[in-house]
Amino acid sequence: MSQQSNEALRLKGRVRIGVPGTYPSPVAHAIRMLARDLEAVLGAAPELVAEEEAAELRIRLAAEEDRCPEHPEAFGFRSHMAGGRPRMDIVGRDELGLVYGILEFSRLHLGIQPFWFWADQSIAERPEIVIPPQDYDAPAPKVRYRGWFVNDEVCLIGWKEPYPPSREVWEPVFEALLRCGGNMVIPGTDLPRDGIHYKLAAEMGLWVTHHHAEPLGAEMFLRAYPGRTASYQEAPELFETLWQEAIEEQKDMKVLWVLSFRGQGDKPFWIDDPAFDTSEKRGAMISRVIRKQYDMIASAVRNPVYCAALYGEIAELYKGGYVDLPEDVIKVWADNGYGRMVSRRHGNQNFRVPALPAADDGGKHGLYYHVTFHDLQASNHLTMFPGPASFLKREIESAFEAGADEYLLLNCGNIRPHVYTLDVLRELWNAGTIDVNGHLDQFVRDYYSTHHEELAALYQSYAEAALPYGPHEDDLAGDEYYHHPARKIIGHWLQGKGDEPHPRLAWAVGDVPFEEQVKGFEARLEQGMGRWKAWLERCSEVLAQLGPDDRRRAADQLMFHGALHLSGCEGFYWLCRSYREYRRERYPQAFVFASESMWAYQKGLDVLRDAEHGKWDRFYRADWLTNIESTVQNVDTLRRFLRMHGDSPDFFLWYKEYLMPVTEKYIYLENTHRNPLSDDELAGRLKEYFQQEGML
């Protein structure tokens, strides 16, 4: 019989861990992580022994005498004297409770942080770990269901050769989520159904849930029935067959069943079914479908948990009273993609309708929230969330106060670029509140060894450097702002449409003549360049003082983001300047500015390549969404087009007019000048000449 310990537990060398005779796969994964962590810190792999044998650590389900909290996933630590020696028991109410207890032990006592893998935490060996004797029970998380939607995950897809991504890619994702206290996941977007992602998530103990465009996790209609009309009105039995197959496939897993009805390709269903031309008809169809999905699940699954994604048009219909949901369905509200709890922008329409439950809206509510987004407009995909942590605090805490605290699903993108923001949300979903300054101070101390105040100041001032592009506080430019609108401008320009506004740019610069639209971007970008240059200068000063490991980490987690912003800002600015010169028919100058634009954008590619060191080799090779390489190629096409205006057909005329020595200009022989300068060399030399002559 063990007794309460009053002696510190000292761990060193080969630690013995008592484990049950059998344990489920989530606990097996957590024990594997603990063994790896102990070996990294103490320099020796631990020994797993039977639960009843002498051991310094023991892992077990909580017994009645432990008085462990009764909420799901509860865990704690119990200090004992066993055989005259101190021992710590990690106890859990259930299998996920054990997983969280094991990983929290690793964080508290071994110093392994939730994002150790993604932030390249330096883990130092220690000769001994001393743990004071103290019992502990973890508080219940604020949010019952909390997790990540691994969405727009092109970097994870392109990182390694196998497709769909293999266990090697997914295990670090799910481990980080579990270390954050998360318990649910949407593992990827429309990946092949034979991939490991759903199976491994369940194997590691996570609840799985579904994209709002893939209700019940069923196969998309048009993929299953190519060539058919995707109309529930016409062929309900085909939709229901797909739903039934999804239920049978997942009924023995932990699933948060998403009830929804959107059209194919994640758009309103009535776009392809125009008979539904009123809110009443649309809401009635959505209500009918959701009730059918609800009943099908109820007939096959014990105690199912249901969610309904109030996303986009469904939220508007629900608020208007046109959608009827069963009482026990968790209603999931979504932000606008930029962190504000209002309706998202659709093209040029931005109604910003509040997206939180009303005071009299009963039942359970939750959130779908973006720390990263992809919308082909201004979102952050490769770069960190541009707003301050205080903004995230206000939005999430206000949502909790409104009752949306049962469920929190974060769009986490590719994980690595979003570590700090995800850690802010980790604190919020666990504690329900956050001291942003205290959290940041602890964050930099957890991941960096020195210069904590200077690094914290860089994280804080990152949001201050962000480029505002509109009147709202969440109108802050992410990396996509510098690329998607720029490519739209190039396409519009080269298609000869410069006399008419670009309809897909009105959201940013108004429905004004195209030349004014370009000027509108130029004015904002000039301001942004100054802000990001100043931030990067401060960043460089701090990094110069860091040791090699911290410097590499800060380059990846801080400077990377500012450098992509500056590259994009400069590239887009010089593109706008090029168009201004083109309108004035100053084609050589337009060519030089287009070259400046391309060179600036190319720096963004260099930033991606620099971040692909060690285990991150090729991590950003599948940048298909922001797609910096595409922007470089677009601008290169543009400058070739511009060189046609006066330097064609021999591509020697600008050299002759501006660069050829006067002694040669009028006496050279055509047949001795057959090797035109490359675009880069010509642009560089013209730039130097025009600057000397005051022509730029």
Side-chain angles (χ1 to χ4, degrees):
M1 181 82 178
S2 62
Q3 62 186 39
Q4 179 70 39
S5 172
N6 58 5
E7 183 180 336
L9 174 65
R10 297 178 179 274
L11 301 179
K12 55 185 175 180
R14 188 171 172 83
V15 174
R16 291 166 61 87
I17 305 175
V19 298
T22 60
Y23 41 86
S25 66
V27 178
H29 277 282
I31 291 172
R32 171 181 57 80
M33 297 172 204
L34 176 60
R36 184 190 60 211
D37 297 348
L38 282 165
E39 184 173 7
V41 174
L42 293 177
E47 179 184 1
L48 302 184
V49 300
E51 187 175 8
E52 62 275 7
E53 293 185 33
E56 292 93 345
L57 296 175
R58 186 169 64 162
I59 296 168
R60 60 179 177 83
L61 288 171
E64 184 176 347
E65 61 267 22
D66 291 311
R67 296 192 295 275
C68 186
E70 295 186 1
H71 62 81
E73 304 165 2
F75 70 88
F77 305 141
R78 299 292 182 265
S79 296
H80 297 279
M81 293 296 293
R85 300 175 63 184
R87 184 187 75 207
M88 173 174 281
D89 287 5
I90 301 172
V91 300
R93 173 63 59 189
D94 48 34
E95 65 178 40
L96 265 185
L98 282 177
V99 170
Y100 295 142
I102 291 167
L103 298 180
E104 182 65 0
F105 174 89
S106 181
R107 187 186 73 84
L108 285 175
H109 301 300
L110 305 182
I112 310 299
Q113 300 304 322
F115 295 99
W116 72 269
F117 178 89
W118 299 95
D120 293 306
Q121 179 189 356
S122 297
I123 300 171
E125 281 197 30
R126 293 151 61 185
E128 183 180 56
I129 298 165
V130 180
I131 303 174
Q134 185 175 8
D135 288 355
Y136 169 79
D137 286 308
K142 171 67 175 178
V143 180
R144 173 65 184 94
Y145 301 106
R146 50 208 182 272
W148 293 346
F149 179 12
V150 187
N151 187 29
D152 302 323
E153 68 281 15
V154 290
C155 296
L156 300 180
I157 289 171
W159 185 16
K160 308 293 182 181
E161 287 301 332
Y163 179 81
S166 66
R167 183 179 291 263
E168 179 186 11
V169 171
W170 285 114
E171 279 191 352
V173 174
F174 300 152
E175 177 181 333
L177 175 55
L178 288 166
R179 287 182 182 271
C180 288
N183 61 5
M184 72 169 172
V185 69
I186 304 178
T189 312
D190 195 31
L191 293 172
R193 302 179 73 79
D194 60 352
I196 189 71
H197 42 295
Y198 272 103
K199 178 184 177 183
L200 181 60
E203 183 184 300
M204 294 180 71
L206 294 163
W207 292 71
V208 295
T209 189
H210 313 117
H211 190 295
H212 54 256
E214 299 172 322
L216 283 62
E219 189 169 6
M220 295 293 286
F221 183 93
L222 290 180
R223 186 168 286 129
Y225 306 111
R228 295 294 300 262
T229 301
S231 169
Y232 186 79
Q233 186 86 336
E234 293 181 13
E237 71 284 354
L238 298 183
F239 280 89
E240 290 165 18
T241 296
L242 295 177
W243 299 338
Q244 190 62 49
E245 290 172 355
I247 292 170
E248 288 299 315
E249 185 179 345
Q250 301 170 86
K251 65 181 181 181
D252 297 323
M253 300 166 63
K254 295 190 299 185
V255 177
L256 284 92
W257 298 93
V258 171
L259 314 177
S260 183
F261 189 57
R262 300 199 81 206
Q264 303 295 291
D266 197 14
K267 61 181 183 294
F269 71 87
W270 54 82
I271 290 178
D272 297 321
D273 208 341
F276 293 88
D277 55 359
T278 67
S279 295
E280 289 82 1
K281 293 178 183 177
R282 295 165 179 174
M285 174 56 78
I286 292 169
S287 301
R288 174 187 165 195
V289 168
I290 284 179
R291 174 58 71 172
K292 180 63 178 178
Q293 295 168 347
Y294 179 94
D295 290 341
M296 290 175 69
I297 295 166
S299 67
V301 180
R302 293 184 59 187
N303 303 316
V305 182
Y306 304 99
C307 312
L310 301 182
Y311 190 73
E313 73 283 349
I314 297 180
E316 295 164 16
L317 291 168
Y318 177 80
K319 275 188 167 286
Y322 301 109
V323 172
D324 179 51
L325 298 174
E327 289 185 3
D328 57 343
V329 172
I330 302 170
K331 295 178 278 289
V332 180
W333 302 84
D335 73 311
N336 64 346
Y338 295 84
R340 189 77 170 93
M341 291 307 301
V342 295
S343 59
R344 66 168 290 189
R345 182 169 56 230
H346 290 280
N348 294 320
Q349 293 184 333
N350 194 13
F351 298 123
R352 296 179 68 86
V353 177
L356 284 174
D360 59 352
D361 195 346
K364 295 179 178 179
H365 299 265
L367 302 175
Y368 171 43
Y369 199 78
H370 294 78
V371 304
T372 174
F373 193 37
H374 168 61
D375 69 347
L376 303 117
Q377 290 188 334
S379 48
N380 68 300
H381 168 67
L382 295 173
T383 55
M384 188 162 44
F385 185 79
S390 57
F391 172 84
L392 298 168
K393 169 186 171 71
R394 190 193 66 215
E395 290 298 304
I396 298 298
E397 289 183 6
S398 296
F400 289 164
E401 290 170 8
D405 61 357
E406 182 73 6
Y407 171 112
L408 177 52
L409 181 69
L410 301 178
N411 191 314
C412 66
N414 296 289
I415 320 299
R416 189 187 180 204
H418 312 296
V419 164
Y420 171 61
T421 316
L422 288 171
D423 204 67
V424 170
L425 272 296
R426 173 189 66 85
E427 182 75 10
L428 282 163
W429 76 25
N430 282 319
T433 186
I434 187 172
D435 171 357
V436 294
N437 292 329
H439 170 268
L440 177 56
D441 178 71
Q442 188 61 54
F443 178 84
V444 296
R445 291 179 186 279
D446 287 339
Y447 290 99
Y448 299 91
S449 58
T450 64
H451 293 81
H452 300 130
E453 291 184 7
E454 296 94 328
L455 288 162
L458 287 174
Y459 276 99
Q460 286 179 322
S461 57
Y462 174 82
E464 296 167 9
L467 170 62
Y469 66 83
H472 309 289
E473 63 177 330
D474 50 297
D475 291 340
L476 296 175
D479 47 280
E480 296 203 338
Y481 180 83
Y482 314 116
H483 294 272
H484 291 285
R487 296 200 294 265
K488 290 184 179 82
I489 285 173
I490 293 170
H492 202 69
W493 179 355
L494 297 190
Q495 291 170 45
K497 297 180 179 179
D499 292 333
E500 56 191 73
H502 194 307
R504 294 176 64 190
L505 295 178
W507 65 269
V509 285
D511 187 17
V512 296
F514 182 61
E515 187 173 6
E516 294 303 313
Q517 289 182 318
V518 176
K519 286 181 180 177
F521 280 112
E522 181 185 328
R524 291 187 177 94
L525 293 159
E526 187 171 15
Q527 176 191 21
M529 287 194 301
R531 297 161 75 113
W532 283 116
K533 281 180 182 176
W535 186 85
L536 280 167
E537 287 173 3
R538 295 196 298 274
C539 199
S540 296
E541 292 170 0
V542 174
L543 264 65
Q545 303 173 57
L546 302 178
D549 286 350
D550 278 353
R551 189 182 310 122
R552 180 70 262 179
R553 190 174 305 110
D556 292 343
Q557 296 292 321
L558 279 165
M559 183 169 277
F560 171 90
H561 303 276
L564 283 184
H565 278 285
L566 181 58
S567 160
C569 248
E570 290 180 334
F572 199 176
Y573 171 79
W574 290 115
L575 172 66
C576 295
R577 287 291 307 275
S578 178
Y579 187 72
R580 191 205 303 180
E581 297 301 315
Y582 173 81
R583 295 287 294 198
R584 297 167 64 188
E585 299 185 0
R586 287 161 46 96
Y587 302 122
Q589 288 87 343
F591 170 78
V592 169
F593 286 149
S595 298
E596 290 273 25
S597 172
M598 195 188 87
W599 297 333
Y601 280 127
Q602 179 64 45
K603 291 177 185 176
L605 287 180
D606 296 340
V607 171
L608 298 187
R609 300 293 82 85
D610 179 67
E612 294 178 317
H613 52 86
K615 71 188 183 192
W616 303 115
D617 181 41
R618 303 189 299 179
F619 186 77
Y620 292 107
R621 69 167 173 165
D623 168 32
W624 302 323
L625 300 186
T626 298
N627 209 333
I628 299 174
E629 185 173 5
S630 177
T631 309
V632 171
Q633 292 169 350
N634 273 241
V635 181
D636 195 21
T637 297
L638 170 65
R639 69 175 187 165
R640 292 169 189 266
F641 164 81
L642 290 170
R643 198 167 173 181
M644 297 286 183
H645 291 67
D647 203 32
S648 173
D650 300 317
F651 301 99
F652 184 69
L653 299 177
W654 287 349
Y655 173 80
K656 176 185 175 184
E657 182 173 355
Y658 300 109
L659 303 176
M660 181 179 281
V662 174
T663 56
E664 301 294 326
K665 185 177 296 189
Y666 302 107
I667 62 173
Y668 81 99
L669 299 177
E670 291 277 357
N671 62 353
T672 63
H673 294 82
R674 295 184 179 274
N675 187 17
L677 297 180
S678 69
D679 290 338
D680 278 343
E681 186 175 359
L682 178 62
R685 293 180 63 176
L686 285 175
K687 174 184 175 181
E688 183 178 353
Y689 173 80
F690 289 149
Q691 287 176 335
Q692 290 174 349
E693 298 297 320
M695 297 171 66
L696 282 183

